[in-house]
Amino acid sequence: MKATCSIRILSMSLNIHTSTRINNWSFNRFYHKVFPLGLASRFIIMLSLVILSSQIITSAVWYSNIYLKEKEGLEVALENIASMAAYTVSYYQKLPKASRHLVLEQNRSMGGTRFFISLNSKSIPISGLPETELKQALTTKITHNLIDFLDEKIDINVDFTRRDQLRAYDAEVPLDDIPRAFARYTIEKAKHDPPVLVMQFRLPTEKQSNVDTHEQWLYLATNLPAPYIDLEIQFLDSRQFNFILLTSISILLCTWFLVRHEIRPINKLAQAAKMMGNKMDAHIIKEEGSGELVAAVHAFNTMNRSIRAYIRDRDLLFGTISHDLKTPIACLKLRIEMLENEAEKEKFKRSLNELEFMVEGALHYIKNTDIKEQLVQVDIEVILKELSQIYNADKPRVFLHGILNAPLLGKPVAFKRMLNNLMENAVKYGNSVDISLSDHNDQVTIQFRDYGKGIPDELREKVFEPYFRVAHEKQEGTGLGLSIVRNIVLSHHGKLILKNHQDGGLIVVLSLPRED
């Protein structure tokens, strides 16, 4: 029972681990497919994030400091306004009710005060500004200041509004509808339309025959003084935002051109490395750029020269071997013909034939794995149809399934030799072969399924070694076919997988990427 539970727990752990790896792989593939960004683009994005983060941090610090200073300055300004308003209220409180309108007219004719003043029989409703934390704090602050300055209990209404929402007198007349004769006593229009502070005070009334007369409210209104043109301090105003935007764009553009200039040697290095992988022949790159790039390009150029020298020496060596070995082998064959013992003659002939076969096989291997040709668009489907006609001359042995949507970039002669070797092996060892084609956005998959004996699991990698033959295979051949195939596949950055079919036979899966 414990063993069964342990096995289940282990199985669940493996499934979770496998699913996690699959999800990570799927996410990475999706990310690189959706965001195929180069070095310059990634650098610009990272720099943009750095600039954005620094601007947000510095703006937040600036905003906190400015906010405190602006709030403190606004509180001081409102305290001064409250002091003047309290003096005005005290003055009107001491006047008899009947004389207050006369004094108000006198004040107007003499130039008035900084306040728009009116005497009303009721508290005028105010269409206040939206309730914010700062507005509430300032309203509470100025109310307390007024109470402290007046030093007595009095009904006070304090609010903030806009000039176009301001109403005056008992009839609640809009400020702009007041006659022009009162224009100089009204609140002046300001450029930025600052908030208007409205203070209403309930004045004491006289008593006649123990009956209160109608109540009277003193109405005071004034603009907030410059530079306090708003109750809320913006995190970034339009000028600051435009300045930050212009600065960031300028930095990013300059950085973009600099990075593009610096990564030009990297692009050349990538192209040369690709040519080296495809044709084993890349030009020498100019050593320029930063110190690290110069060192990398210099190392690549050194490697390129070494590989060129190696290939040149190898071709010269095998050419010399092929030339030098043919002459002594031919001389030995002539000497064998002069032997009188037929049995010995046959033994020597067999040994020389094996030697000649091995030399030709080695030269053939070198020739087929070192194909120097240009990359072109190759129609693999056409090549497979041509080869299948050769093997189907006597009877049907090769069966094609599926189609390819577009040609594939590669070496045509190398592709033909690769596909011919795979088809030849499948027909030779499996009598017939089913070839399935499947085309994807990023790669082409070709599957060869024969009906032979297959390959033992422990020998799947060894069959790619030169001259290796499976024990039960007695057909003629050099044992170099799969070695040649794998070298060609790797030179095209592809994959080659061998696996046995559950019903018998071998499956060869060939995957070739679509490259630009």
Side-chain angles (χ1 to χ4, degrees):
M1 185 68 180
K2 292 182 178 179
T4 304
C5 293
S6 300
I7 291 173
R8 289 180 178 177
I9 293 172
L10 180 60
S11 176
M12 292 175 62
S13 301
L14 290 175
N15 290 336
I16 293 173
H17 179 69
T18 304
S19 61
T20 303
R21 289 184 61 187
I22 292 174
N23 291 335
N24 291 337
W25 177 82
S26 301
F27 173 78
N28 291 333
R29 186 177 180 183
F30 172 78
Y31 175 80
H32 290 293
K33 189 174 183 179
V34 175
F35 303 101
L37 303 178
L39 178 61
S41 302
R42 290 175 183 268
F43 187 83
I44 291 300
I45 290 177
M46 292 176 62
L47 184 61
S48 301
L49 294 176
V50 171
I51 292 176
L52 180 63
S53 302
S54 63
Q55 293 291 357
I56 290 176
I57 293 173
T58 54
S59 298
V61 173
W62 171 87
Y63 175 77
S64 61
N65 292 332
I66 294 299
Y67 178 83
L68 294 176
K69 291 181 180 179
E70 289 283 333
K71 184 180 178 182
E72 183 180 356
L74 187 56
E75 288 177 349
V76 172
L78 291 178
E79 186 177 356
N80 293 332
I81 293 175
S83 174
M84 289 185 288
Y87 173 79
T88 303
V89 172
S90 298
Y91 176 72
Y92 276 90
Q93 278 181 327
K94 297 175 182 178
L95 295 174
K97 181 179 180 181
S99 303
R100 290 171 183 169
H101 284 285
L102 296 176
V103 174
L104 178 60
E105 292 296 332
Q106 273 187 341
N107 286 338
R108 288 176 176 172
S109 62
M110 295 174 62
T113 66
R114 68 164 296 162
F115 299 107
F116 171 82
I117 306 177
S118 68
L119 290 168
N120 310 315
S121 61
K122 62 179 181 178
S123 176
I124 307 299
I126 302 299
S127 178
L129 296 177
E131 294 295 328
T132 62
E133 183 179 353
L134 181 60
K135 178 191 171 184
Q136 293 176 357
L138 293 176
T139 302
T140 304
K141 178 75 175 176
I142 194 171
T143 302
H144 289 165
N145 289 336
L146 289 170
I147 293 174
D148 293 340
F149 287 134
L150 292 172
D151 198 23
E152 60 179 293
K153 293 184 178 180
I154 185 172
D155 291 339
I156 301 174
N157 293 336
V158 178
D159 207 343
F160 292 90
T161 187
R162 293 291 178 186
R163 187 181 185 284
D164 56 354
Q165 299 292 327
L166 195 64
R167 299 292 184 268
Y169 305 116
D170 289 337
E172 300 180 15
V173 180
L175 191 64
D176 290 335
D177 292 346
I178 295 177
R180 295 181 62 85
F182 291 84
R184 59 177 174 155
Y185 309 118
T186 61
I187 299 173
E188 296 180 357
K189 288 186 178 181
K191 181 179 179 181
H192 299 288
D193 190 21
V196 177
L197 173 61
V198 179
M199 297 169 287
Q200 300 184 75
F201 304 87
R202 182 173 167 177
L203 299 177
T205 55
E206 300 174 352
K207 293 186 178 180
Q208 297 178 354
S209 303
N210 297 325
V211 178
D212 290 343
T213 59
H214 295 291
E215 64 180 8
Q216 195 172 49
W217 288 78
L218 181 64
Y219 182 99
L220 303 179
T222 183
N223 284 330
L224 286 186
Y228 310 108
I229 60 174
D230 203 344
L231 289 183
E232 288 298 328
I233 303 172
Q234 297 182 359
F235 183 71
L236 288 177
D237 59 25
S238 59
R239 291 182 300 173
Q240 293 168 332
F241 179 78
N242 292 334
F243 175 76
I244 292 174
L245 183 63
L246 180 62
T247 304
S248 302
I249 292 176
S250 301
I251 294 174
L252 291 176
L253 286 176
C254 294
T255 305
W256 172 266
F257 287 114
L258 289 175
V259 171
R260 292 288 295 178
H261 180 268
E262 287 297 320
I263 67 173
R264 192 176 303 161
I266 298 179
N267 293 331
K268 293 180 180 179
L269 180 60
Q271 294 174 1
K274 187 174 182 179
M275 292 180 62
M276 177 66 71
N278 291 332
K279 301 194 303 179
M280 295 301 292
D281 184 20
H283 59 274
I284 301 299
I285 310 173
K286 182 180 179 181
E287 299 178 5
E288 58 181 351
S290 62
E292 294 81 3
L293 285 177
V294 170
V297 173
H298 178 74
F300 179 83
N301 287 335
T302 303
M303 180 190 68
N304 189 9
R305 294 187 185 97
S306 300
I307 292 176
R308 284 185 176 184
Y310 166 75
I311 294 175
R312 183 175 63 251
D313 294 342
R314 190 195 62 175
D315 292 343
L316 180 60
L317 174 62
F318 275 92
T320 304
I321 290 174
S322 63
H323 178 270
D324 292 346
L325 288 181
K326 285 180 181 180
T327 301
I329 289 174
C331 292
L332 288 174
K333 284 185 177 181
L334 290 176
R335 290 180 181 273
I336 289 172
E337 293 299 330
M338 290 187 274
L339 293 177
E340 296 180 356
N341 190 331
E342 292 296 331
E344 293 294 330
K345 184 187 295 186
E346 289 299 324
K347 290 181 181 180
F348 279 115
K349 279 186 178 181
R350 191 160 45 248
S351 298
L352 284 175
N353 288 335
E354 290 178 0
L355 177 60
E356 187 175 17
F357 184 76
M358 291 177 63
V359 172
E360 291 180 355
L363 295 174
H364 181 73
Y365 176 76
I366 295 298
K367 181 181 179 181
N368 282 272
T369 56
D370 186 28
I371 303 173
K372 297 182 177 66
E373 54 179 330
Q374 296 293 330
L375 294 173
V376 296
Q377 295 293 335
V378 182
D379 195 333
I380 295 180
E381 190 175 349
V382 172
I383 295 177
L384 288 172
K385 289 180 180 179
E386 292 177 355
L387 294 175
S388 62
Q389 291 178 358
I390 297 174
Y391 291 98
N392 291 336
D394 299 334
K395 61 178 181 179
R397 296 178 180 177
V398 179
F399 304 94
L400 290 176
H401 309 281
I403 58 174
L404 299 180
N405 300 326
L408 190 68
L409 186 66
K411 303 174 182 179
V413 176
F415 272 178
K416 191 166 186 178
R417 288 176 181 171
M418 173 183 64
L419 298 174
N420 181 65
N421 285 350
L422 291 175
M423 193 179 297
E424 181 182 8
N425 285 345
V427 172
K428 184 187 296 184
Y429 302 118
N431 299 321
S432 63
V433 58
D434 289 324
I435 303 176
S436 302
L437 307 177
S438 58
D439 200 340
H440 307 280
N441 293 331
D442 55 349
Q443 70 175 10
V444 170
T445 303
I446 307 172
Q447 179 175 296
F448 296 80
R449 193 270 201 242
D450 64 39
Y451 296 88
K453 298 180 180 180
I455 297 176
D457 294 343
E458 64 273 10
L459 300 179
R460 287 183 189 172
E461 285 300 320
K462 291 188 68 66
V463 295
F464 292 110
E465 297 178 3
Y467 304 109
F468 180 82
R469 304 287 297 276
V470 179
H472 61 73
E473 297 176 355
K474 301 299 182 182
Q475 288 86 348
E476 295 181 357
T478 62
L480 299 171
L482 288 179
S483 299
I484 296 172
V485 169
R486 186 164 70 169
N487 287 336
I488 295 175
V489 171
L490 293 177
S491 69
H492 287 83
H493 310 290
K495 294 181 181 179
L496 188 65
I497 300 175
L498 305 182
K499 56 184 178 180
N500 290 322
H501 195 277
Q502 59 183 0
D503 297 329
L506 182 69
I507 297 178
V508 179
V509 181
L510 172 62
S511 301
L512 297 171
R514 288 193 177 276
E515 297 184 358
D516 298 331

